Amino acid sequence: INFIFTLFLFSFQKLVKTGENNWSLPELVHAVVLLAHYHALASFVFGSGINPERDPDTSNGVRLIAVNNFCVCDLANDNNIENASLTSSNFGIADSLSELEALMERMKRLQEDKEDEEASQEEMDTRFEKEKKESLLVISGAFDDEIVSTDVSRYVEDPGFGYKDFARRGEDHLPTFRAQDYTWENHGFSLVNRLYSDIGHLLDEKFRMVYNLTYNTMATHEDVDTTTLRRALFNYVHCMYGIRYDDYDYGEVNQLLERSLKVYIKTVTCYPERTTKRMYDSYWRQFKHSEKVHVNLLLMEARMQAELLYALRAITRHLT
């Protein structure tokens, strides 16, 4: 993390250095936002299955991934695809129903435990460190027999370009970006709003809307408070990038996010070009496609905010 921060800071200092071709700070912020948005959008596109795979059986060699016999490019249409995962096959229905009920029970128990007794700060520290270390062990595509090779791979095969774990496995002390030292609400937004006000307000509105978006449903269940689950998804992405919220109990992440979902999240967030249909189908098998697309929206915004926090903190350091 310190290396990434230093690299950001060094690059920014060179770009805004006084000279004939120097950048202004508003231009720099605009460029950072464009890059962060582009990187995050890749996660949403590949995560939603809109990934052309090479297929020797087609005339042009390309096909679109289908989820439960439907083309994922139709996920936004208002047709029967919403219930496709429930009606296309009876395989695994009992198991997925029990998984759903177990998830609902864990959410309920977490809410009750929070009302009864809060964990100590020491225990919360321990839970974060455990989750952060375990996130390094989550291998993208670990359960897939094949990783789809796409044309986009030519752009990410450079070993110097792409996601890198924030620490090496086996290290005793893992670096942490403490959110209270630099948050979007208290620091990032203020900086962006000062240098490029339109961008700041648009980003803030987008983050808030996606984070709070809910239909209060979970598969066949209605009138469900999904706040706990949405928060776990968002904070797990930040945890993978070494960002910690002191007031959040990371034990919730471990209880609410199953292994296959964590693999999917790490793949979509860190290596989107490796995402496959099997990963998409492997988690929350009773949930509607619209609910899974909502997961991808959360992952996209969390991924974008994490990158912005590192970049904006470096710009703030440059200004001071």
Side-chain angles (χ1 to χ4, degrees):
I1 290 176
N2 290 331
F3 170 75
I4 297 173
F5 174 70
T6 303
L7 185 61
F8 267 132
L9 183 59
F10 178 73
S11 300
F12 295 157
Q13 288 173 337
K14 290 187 64 177
L15 286 172
V16 299
K17 186 178 180 180
T18 303
E20 181 179 354
N21 298 316
N22 68 301
W23 288 26
S24 68
L25 284 174
E27 289 173 334
L28 178 60
V29 169
H30 196 175
V32 164
V33 170
L34 285 174
L35 286 171
H37 180 69
Y38 182 84
H39 297 154
L41 189 60
S43 295
F44 178 77
V45 169
F46 282 97
S48 298
I50 317 173
N51 174 16
E53 294 183 3
R54 302 301 301 179
D55 188 350
D57 296 331
T58 60
S59 58
N60 60 1
V62 176
R63 63 181 171 84
L64 284 173
I65 300 175
V67 177
N68 293 318
N69 298 322
F70 286 87
C71 178
V72 186
C73 57
D74 291 331
L75 288 182
N77 294 344
D78 294 329
N79 55 27
N80 291 332
I81 193 169
E82 286 295 328
N83 297 315
S85 62
L86 301 180
T87 60
S88 61
S89 174
N90 290 325
F91 179 74
I93 292 294
D95 288 342
S96 57
L97 281 174
S98 62
E99 290 172 359
L100 172 62
E101 297 302 326
L103 176 59
M104 296 281 294
E105 180 60 31
R106 288 195 297 271
M107 290 177 60
K108 180 180 178 181
R109 187 170 62 250
L110 283 172
Q111 189 61 41
E112 293 173 348
D113 291 344
K114 183 173 295 186
E115 294 175 355
D116 293 340
E117 181 180 359
E118 293 187 359
S120 65
Q121 189 60 52
E122 182 179 359
E123 179 62 24
M124 291 175 70
D125 292 346
T126 301
R127 291 173 182 176
F128 171 75
E129 291 300 325
K130 178 181 178 181
E131 196 62 47
K132 186 170 60 171
K133 290 179 180 179
E134 288 182 354
S135 72
L136 298 176
L137 303 177
V138 175
I139 307 299
S140 65
F143 57 85
D144 258 35
D145 296 329
E146 74 286 339
I147 296 296
V148 177
S149 176
T150 64
D151 289 341
V152 76
S153 63
R154 72 183 68 176
Y155 303 110
V156 295
E157 287 178 351
D158 183 346
F161 179 79
Y163 169 83
K164 301 290 184 183
D165 283 323
F166 58 83
R168 295 179 180 178
R169 296 179 189 178
E171 289 185 0
D172 294 330
H173 178 71
L174 302 182
T176 298
F177 184 139
R178 302 181 72 86
Q180 73 270 19
D181 295 335
Y182 200 94
T183 65
W184 166 256
E185 293 80 7
N186 298 328
H187 305 90
F189 171 74
S190 299
L191 177 64
V192 174
N193 196 47
R194 176 161 60 92
L195 296 175
Y196 211 134
S197 58
D198 290 341
I199 294 290
H201 285 291
L202 289 171
L203 286 174
D204 192 60
E205 182 181 0
K206 186 163 67 84
F207 289 146
R208 292 176 183 274
M209 180 176 63
V210 172
Y211 188 86
N212 295 317
L213 177 63
T214 180
Y215 303 115
N216 295 310
T217 63
M218 287 181 61
T220 57
H221 295 268
E222 298 181 351
D223 299 321
V224 180
D225 183 357
T226 61
T227 303
T228 305
L229 190 55
R230 285 182 280 119
R231 184 170 56 236
L233 288 165
F234 196 93
N235 287 355
Y236 181 63
V237 173
H238 281 201
C239 178
M240 287 194 306
Y241 282 86
I243 300 174
R244 178 193 173 181
Y245 297 89
D246 281 350
D247 59 348
Y248 179 68
D249 183 358
Y250 287 85
E252 294 184 6
V253 169
N254 200 42
Q255 294 191 55
L256 296 178
L257 307 186
E258 62 195 58
R259 175 75 178 181
S260 60
L261 178 53
K262 286 184 176 180
V263 171
Y264 176 80
I265 291 174
K266 183 161 188 177
T267 305
V268 166
T269 307
C270 305
Y271 310 97
E273 75 283 356
R274 301 182 186 178
T275 309
T276 66
K277 173 182 178 293
R278 186 177 176 187
M279 294 179 197
Y280 181 93
D281 288 340
S282 68
Y283 79 96
W284 290 2
R285 288 173 290 175
Q286 283 298 307
F287 281 65
K288 299 177 182 179
H289 292 303
S290 62
E291 292 172 310
K292 289 195 173 188
V293 170
H294 183 201
V295 169
N296 288 332
L297 285 172
L298 274 170
L299 302 183
M300 175 177 69
E301 297 304 331
R303 166 70 175 83
M304 182 174 184
Q305 191 177 109
E307 183 170 339
L308 283 176
L309 285 175
Y310 278 104
L312 295 174
R313 188 177 67 161
I315 294 176
T316 300
R317 179 67 61 84
H318 167 74
L319 292 174
T320 56

PDB file of all heavy atoms in Angstrom, residues 20 62 65-66 68 71 104 111 133 145 147 177 198 232 273 280 290 300 320:
ATOM      1  N   GLU A  20       6.023  23.859 -19.529  1.00  0.00           N
ATOM      2  CA  GLU A  20       5.187  24.190 -20.682  1.00  0.00           C
ATOM      3  C   GLU A  20       4.012  23.237 -20.828  1.00  0.00           C
ATOM      4  O   GLU A  20       2.909  23.642 -21.209  1.00  0.00           O
ATOM      5  CB  GLU A  20       6.044  24.168 -21.955  1.00  0.00           C
ATOM      6  CG  GLU A  20       5.272  24.536 -23.214  1.00  0.00           C
ATOM      7  CD  GLU A  20       6.151  24.519 -24.451  1.00  0.00           C
ATOM      8  OE1 GLU A  20       7.378  24.329 -24.299  1.00  0.00           O
ATOM      9  OE2 GLU A  20       5.617  24.685 -25.563  1.00  0.00           O
ATOM     10  N   VAL A  62     -16.893 -16.062 -31.880  1.00  0.00           N
ATOM     11  CA  VAL A  62     -17.260 -15.371 -30.655  1.00  0.00           C
ATOM     12  C   VAL A  62     -18.703 -15.655 -30.308  1.00  0.00           C
ATOM     13  O   VAL A  62     -19.570 -15.717 -31.160  1.00  0.00           O
ATOM     14  CB  VAL A  62     -17.078 -13.835 -30.819  1.00  0.00           C
ATOM     15  CG1 VAL A  62     -17.558 -13.112 -29.570  1.00  0.00           C
ATOM     16  CG2 VAL A  62     -15.619 -13.499 -31.087  1.00  0.00           C
ATOM     17  N   ILE A  65     -21.783 -15.174 -23.375  1.00  0.00           N
ATOM     18  CA  ILE A  65     -22.070 -16.119 -22.302  1.00  0.00           C
ATOM     19  C   ILE A  65     -23.565 -16.162 -22.050  1.00  0.00           C
ATOM     20  O   ILE A  65     -24.229 -15.146 -21.994  1.00  0.00           O
ATOM     21  CB  ILE A  65     -21.360 -15.694 -21.010  1.00  0.00           C
ATOM     22  CG1 ILE A  65     -19.850 -15.649 -21.240  1.00  0.00           C
ATOM     23  CG2 ILE A  65     -21.688 -16.630 -19.865  1.00  0.00           C
ATOM     24  CD1 ILE A  65     -19.101 -15.132 -20.044  1.00  0.00           C
ATOM     25  N   ALA A  66     -24.085 -17.354 -21.884  1.00  0.00           N
ATOM     26  CA  ALA A  66     -25.505 -17.481 -21.537  1.00  0.00           C
ATOM     27  C   ALA A  66     -25.635 -17.952 -20.108  1.00  0.00           C
ATOM     28  O   ALA A  66     -24.885 -18.805 -19.650  1.00  0.00           O
ATOM     29  CB  ALA A  66     -26.191 -18.487 -22.461  1.00  0.00           C
ATOM     30  N   ASN A  68     -28.175 -19.749 -17.641  1.00  0.00           N
ATOM     31  CA  ASN A  68     -29.424 -20.503 -17.592  1.00  0.00           C
ATOM     32  C   ASN A  68     -30.202 -20.400 -18.900  1.00  0.00           C
ATOM     33  O   ASN A  68     -31.404 -20.125 -18.929  1.00  0.00           O
ATOM     34  CB  ASN A  68     -30.290 -20.029 -16.430  1.00  0.00           C
ATOM     35  CG  ASN A  68     -29.664 -20.349 -15.093  1.00  0.00           C
ATOM     36  OD1 ASN A  68     -29.125 -21.427 -14.899  1.00  0.00           O
ATOM     37  ND2 ASN A  68     -29.705 -19.409 -14.168  1.00  0.00           N
ATOM     38  N   CYS A  71     -29.328 -15.214 -22.868  1.00  0.00           N
ATOM     39  CA  CYS A  71     -28.177 -14.372 -23.136  1.00  0.00           C
ATOM     40  C   CYS A  71     -28.128 -13.274 -22.089  1.00  0.00           C
ATOM     41  O   CYS A  71     -29.119 -12.602 -21.835  1.00  0.00           O
ATOM     42  CB  CYS A  71     -28.276 -13.760 -24.528  1.00  0.00           C
ATOM     43  SG  CYS A  71     -26.914 -12.651 -24.913  1.00  0.00           S
ATOM     44  N   MET A 104     -30.258 -16.152   5.397  1.00  0.00           N
ATOM     45  CA  MET A 104     -31.260 -15.343   6.075  1.00  0.00           C
ATOM     46  C   MET A 104     -31.139 -15.474   7.593  1.00  0.00           C
ATOM     47  O   MET A 104     -31.251 -14.486   8.335  1.00  0.00           O
ATOM     48  CB  MET A 104     -32.654 -15.769   5.624  1.00  0.00           C
ATOM     49  CG  MET A 104     -32.958 -15.532   4.163  1.00  0.00           C
ATOM     50  SD  MET A 104     -33.367 -13.824   3.796  1.00  0.00           S
ATOM     51  CE  MET A 104     -34.908 -13.641   4.678  1.00  0.00           C
ATOM     52  N   GLN A 111     -27.970  -9.388  13.439  1.00  0.00           N
ATOM     53  CA  GLN A 111     -28.716  -8.221  13.890  1.00  0.00           C
ATOM     54  C   GLN A 111     -29.067  -8.333  15.367  1.00  0.00           C
ATOM     55  O   GLN A 111     -28.968  -7.357  16.122  1.00  0.00           O
ATOM     56  CB  GLN A 111     -29.995  -8.065  13.061  1.00  0.00           C
ATOM     57  CG  GLN A 111     -30.751  -6.767  13.301  1.00  0.00           C
ATOM     58  CD  GLN A 111     -29.934  -5.534  12.964  1.00  0.00           C
ATOM     59  OE1 GLN A 111     -29.219  -5.512  11.966  1.00  0.00           O
ATOM     60  NE2 GLN A 111     -30.034  -4.511  13.793  1.00  0.00           N
ATOM     61  N   LYS A 133      -5.992 -11.079   5.861  1.00  0.00           N
ATOM     62  CA  LYS A 133      -5.037 -12.122   5.500  1.00  0.00           C
ATOM     63  C   LYS A 133      -5.692 -13.197   4.648  1.00  0.00           C
ATOM     64  O   LYS A 133      -5.101 -13.690   3.686  1.00  0.00           O
ATOM     65  CB  LYS A 133      -4.440 -12.743   6.771  1.00  0.00           C
ATOM     66  CG  LYS A 133      -3.508 -11.821   7.529  1.00  0.00           C
ATOM     67  CD  LYS A 133      -2.967 -12.480   8.786  1.00  0.00           C
ATOM     68  CE  LYS A 133      -2.039 -11.539   9.537  1.00  0.00           C
ATOM     69  NZ  LYS A 133      -1.523 -12.155  10.788  1.00  0.00           N
ATOM     70  N   ASP A 145     -12.313 -25.196 -13.847  1.00  0.00           N
ATOM     71  CA  ASP A 145     -11.383 -26.070 -14.547  1.00  0.00           C
ATOM     72  C   ASP A 145     -10.651 -25.333 -15.647  1.00  0.00           C
ATOM     73  O   ASP A 145      -9.548 -25.686 -16.024  1.00  0.00           O
ATOM     74  CB  ASP A 145     -12.147 -27.258 -15.162  1.00  0.00           C
ATOM     75  CG  ASP A 145     -12.764 -28.130 -14.086  1.00  0.00           C
ATOM     76  OD1 ASP A 145     -12.171 -28.203 -12.993  1.00  0.00           O
ATOM     77  OD2 ASP A 145     -13.830 -28.723 -14.353  1.00  0.00           O
ATOM     78  N   ILE A 147      -9.899 -21.291 -17.351  1.00  0.00           N
ATOM     79  CA  ILE A 147     -10.018 -19.840 -17.327  1.00  0.00           C
ATOM     80  C   ILE A 147     -10.129 -19.389 -18.774  1.00  0.00           C
ATOM     81  O   ILE A 147      -9.268 -19.663 -19.594  1.00  0.00           O
ATOM     82  CB  ILE A 147      -8.793 -19.184 -16.661  1.00  0.00           C
ATOM     83  CG1 ILE A 147      -8.712 -19.606 -15.204  1.00  0.00           C
ATOM     84  CG2 ILE A 147      -8.878 -17.669 -16.777  1.00  0.00           C
ATOM     85  CD1 ILE A 147      -9.876 -19.142 -14.356  1.00  0.00           C
ATOM     86  N   PHE A 177      -4.808   0.769   5.198  1.00  0.00           N
ATOM     87  CA  PHE A 177      -5.269   2.132   4.917  1.00  0.00           C
ATOM     88  C   PHE A 177      -6.433   2.369   5.879  1.00  0.00           C
ATOM     89  O   PHE A 177      -7.517   1.851   5.682  1.00  0.00           O
ATOM     90  CB  PHE A 177      -5.729   2.211   3.459  1.00  0.00           C
ATOM     91  CG  PHE A 177      -6.150   3.593   3.002  1.00  0.00           C
ATOM     92  CD1 PHE A 177      -5.781   4.048   1.752  1.00  0.00           C
ATOM     93  CD2 PHE A 177      -6.938   4.433   3.777  1.00  0.00           C
ATOM     94  CE1 PHE A 177      -6.165   5.302   1.289  1.00  0.00           C
ATOM     95  CE2 PHE A 177      -7.335   5.683   3.348  1.00  0.00           C
ATOM     96  CZ  PHE A 177      -6.946   6.121   2.093  1.00  0.00           C
ATOM     97  N   ASP A 198     -18.448  19.738 -10.292  1.00  0.00           N
ATOM     98  CA  ASP A 198     -19.472  18.909 -10.932  1.00  0.00           C
ATOM     99  C   ASP A 198     -19.181  17.430 -10.738  1.00  0.00           C
ATOM    100  O   ASP A 198     -20.083  16.630 -10.439  1.00  0.00           O
ATOM    101  CB  ASP A 198     -19.550  19.226 -12.429  1.00  0.00           C
ATOM    102  CG  ASP A 198     -20.129  20.610 -12.692  1.00  0.00           C
ATOM    103  OD1 ASP A 198     -20.771  21.146 -11.778  1.00  0.00           O
ATOM    104  OD2 ASP A 198     -19.922  21.142 -13.792  1.00  0.00           O
ATOM    105  N   ALA A 232     -21.554  -5.602   3.914  1.00  0.00           N
ATOM    106  CA  ALA A 232     -20.510  -6.634   3.885  1.00  0.00           C
ATOM    107  C   ALA A 232     -19.868  -6.722   2.510  1.00  0.00           C
ATOM    108  O   ALA A 232     -18.640  -6.858   2.394  1.00  0.00           O
ATOM    109  CB  ALA A 232     -21.106  -7.984   4.289  1.00  0.00           C
ATOM    110  N   GLU A 273     -11.159  -9.931 -16.365  1.00  0.00           N
ATOM    111  CA  GLU A 273     -11.082 -10.673 -17.626  1.00  0.00           C
ATOM    112  C   GLU A 273     -11.111 -12.180 -17.415  1.00  0.00           C
ATOM    113  O   GLU A 273     -11.323 -12.947 -18.362  1.00  0.00           O
ATOM    114  CB  GLU A 273      -9.821 -10.270 -18.410  1.00  0.00           C
ATOM    115  CG  GLU A 273      -8.507 -10.825 -17.886  1.00  0.00           C
ATOM    116  CD  GLU A 273      -7.979 -10.109 -16.654  1.00  0.00           C
ATOM    117  OE1 GLU A 273      -8.606  -9.107 -16.230  1.00  0.00           O
ATOM    118  OE2 GLU A 273      -6.938 -10.535 -16.106  1.00  0.00           O
ATOM    119  N   TYR A 280     -20.329 -16.991 -12.010  1.00  0.00           N
ATOM    120  CA  TYR A 280     -21.580 -16.243 -11.848  1.00  0.00           C
ATOM    121  C   TYR A 280     -22.685 -17.150 -11.308  1.00  0.00           C
ATOM    122  O   TYR A 280     -23.478 -16.761 -10.455  1.00  0.00           O
ATOM    123  CB  TYR A 280     -21.968 -15.652 -13.200  1.00  0.00           C
ATOM    124  CG  TYR A 280     -23.239 -14.816 -13.188  1.00  0.00           C
ATOM    125  CD1 TYR A 280     -23.187 -13.438 -13.008  1.00  0.00           C
ATOM    126  CD2 TYR A 280     -24.487 -15.397 -13.383  1.00  0.00           C
ATOM    127  CE1 TYR A 280     -24.343 -12.664 -13.012  1.00  0.00           C
ATOM    128  CE2 TYR A 280     -25.646 -14.639 -13.386  1.00  0.00           C
ATOM    129  CZ  TYR A 280     -25.571 -13.275 -13.200  1.00  0.00           C
ATOM    130  OH  TYR A 280     -26.718 -12.528 -13.203  1.00  0.00           O
ATOM    131  N   SER A 290     -31.426  -9.853 -11.512  1.00  0.00           N
ATOM    132  CA  SER A 290     -31.364  -8.433 -11.177  1.00  0.00           C
ATOM    133  C   SER A 290     -30.658  -8.215  -9.841  1.00  0.00           C
ATOM    134  O   SER A 290     -29.960  -7.212  -9.645  1.00  0.00           O
ATOM    135  CB  SER A 290     -32.769  -7.833 -11.124  1.00  0.00           C
ATOM    136  OG  SER A 290     -33.551  -8.448 -10.115  1.00  0.00           O
ATOM    137  N   MET A 300     -18.630  -2.634  -8.317  1.00  0.00           N
ATOM    138  CA  MET A 300     -18.070  -1.607  -9.192  1.00  0.00           C
ATOM    139  C   MET A 300     -17.818  -0.314  -8.423  1.00  0.00           C
ATOM    140  O   MET A 300     -16.739   0.285  -8.526  1.00  0.00           O
ATOM    141  CB  MET A 300     -19.017  -1.343 -10.361  1.00  0.00           C
ATOM    142  CG  MET A 300     -18.571  -0.199 -11.276  1.00  0.00           C
ATOM    143  SD  MET A 300     -19.664   0.060 -12.703  1.00  0.00           S
ATOM    144  CE  MET A 300     -21.135   0.693 -11.874  1.00  0.00           C
ATOM    145  N   THR A 320      -0.116  19.437   0.397  1.00  0.00           N
ATOM    146  CA  THR A 320       0.341  19.860   1.711  1.00  0.00           C
ATOM    147  C   THR A 320       1.846  19.728   1.873  1.00  0.00           C
ATOM    148  O   THR A 320       2.388  20.088   2.904  1.00  0.00           O
ATOM    149  CB  THR A 320      -0.355  19.013   2.801  1.00  0.00           C
ATOM    150  OG1 THR A 320      -0.106  17.612   2.563  1.00  0.00           O
ATOM    151  CG2 THR A 320      -1.855  19.253   2.780  1.00  0.00           C
TER     152      THR A 320
END
